[in-house]
Amino acid sequence: RASTMSAFGVAASLIRRAASVVASTRRRRIRSRRVHHESGRSAHGAPPTRTWPTMRRSPLGWCVRAGASSYEPPPGGALDTHPLMSITTGGRFTVRDLDLVVDEVDIGGACGTIKLVRPKSEDDVLDMYVEIGREDADPYWAALWPSSVALARGVAGVVVDAGKGDAMDDAMDGEGSTRMAGLSVCDLGSGLGLAGLAAAKRGAKSVAFYDREPLALQCCLLSAEANGLTVAVEPVGEG
């Protein structure tokens, strides 16, 4: 028991240190962005004209980069017709104000590849938050996390051979291809919505995405459209 408690203590210490490093990095980036925006103000104190950074930082080591390519939503698609797309962040910005890219994420098995639309850079999202005074907001919903890929594979009933890195349908319960069929799925705190998209591709009757950030939900709808899924308007209070 003592050794078990010691292991938990070490794990808790490592988690606290990692959280401290992430918080410290985020504070430095916010201070840097605040200085950038303040230096752009005119002599009369007017906010600077919006210009997105042209130089990106090196990718963070704990995020997945899947060889993203530029993404342009199709005319007349979800971006133009869905009412969610008119909801703004900070009363000013929608996903139209961000450069978008699409990743092709290999989930494996019968689920195959999922197209995931997201902002090109988390720094762009952080710039947006600083500009509207939401310095406590978290821009990292815009990152493609390894944990989200793992969750999507679990939802899709896919396991990965740790030795070979090969993905296959989960044959443990014999239901890998049918476990989502006919279900109504809620992706709560969806972020970019990879798990919900995996459920939809494996036969879910419907998938509802919930997140506090409208930009994230807008990306979810664009991703659903990019994967050939039907994007529906469901009135509030009905499901």
Side-chain angles (χ1 to χ4, degrees), residues 1 6 30 43 54 80 127 142 178 183 195 215 237:
R1 179 175 297 178
S6 176
I30 287 175
T54 56
D80 295 327
D127 276 346
T178 60
L183 294 181
L215 295 170

Side-chain angles (χ1 to χ4, degrees), residues 57-79:
R57 296 176 184 270
S58 298
L60 299 175
W62 28 264
C63 295
V64 174
R65 299 292 179 180
S69 57
S70 296
Y71 178 76
E72 290 292 337
L79 185 64

Side-chain angles (χ1 to χ4, degrees), residues 176-199:
S177 61
T178 60
R179 63 178 61 182
M180 288 293 151
L183 294 181
S184 295
V185 176
C186 169
D187 191 347
L188 186 62
S190 59
L192 294 173
L194 185 58
L197 293 168

Side-chain angles (χ1 to χ4, degrees), residues 39-102:
S39 65
R41 293 182 183 275
S42 70
H44 299 288
T49 301
R50 184 64 184 163
T51 55
W52 296 107
T54 56
M55 182 175 67
R56 291 189 59 188
R57 296 176 184 270
S58 298
L60 299 175
W62 28 264
C63 295
V64 174
R65 299 292 179 180
S69 57
S70 296
Y71 178 76
E72 290 292 337
L79 185 64
D80 295 327
T81 61
H82 200 287
L84 176 64
M85 293 301 180
S86 64
I87 298 177
T88 59
T89 292
R92 295 176 59 185
F93 297 111
T94 70
V95 76
R96 294 178 177 86
D97 299 299
L98 292 167
D99 290 331
L100 299 176
V101 295
V102 58

Side-chain angles (χ1 to χ4, degrees), residues 103-165:
D103 289 306
E104 295 194 1
V105 186
D106 184 15
I107 301 301
C111 192
T113 299
I114 293 179
K115 295 180 179 179
L116 194 72
V117 178
R118 62 173 176 82
K120 182 178 180 180
S121 169
E122 300 87 57
D123 282 347
D124 287 358
V125 180
L126 181 57
D127 276 346
M128 179 183 292
Y129 286 151
V130 170
E131 185 164 324
I132 62 178
R134 286 183 55 188
E135 297 176 1
D136 60 336
D138 185 355
Y140 296 114
W141 60 264
L144 174 56
W145 295 84
S147 56
S148 69
V149 178
L151 177 59
R153 285 173 172 161
V155 167
V158 172
V159 294
V160 176
D161 187 325
K164 299 180 180 179

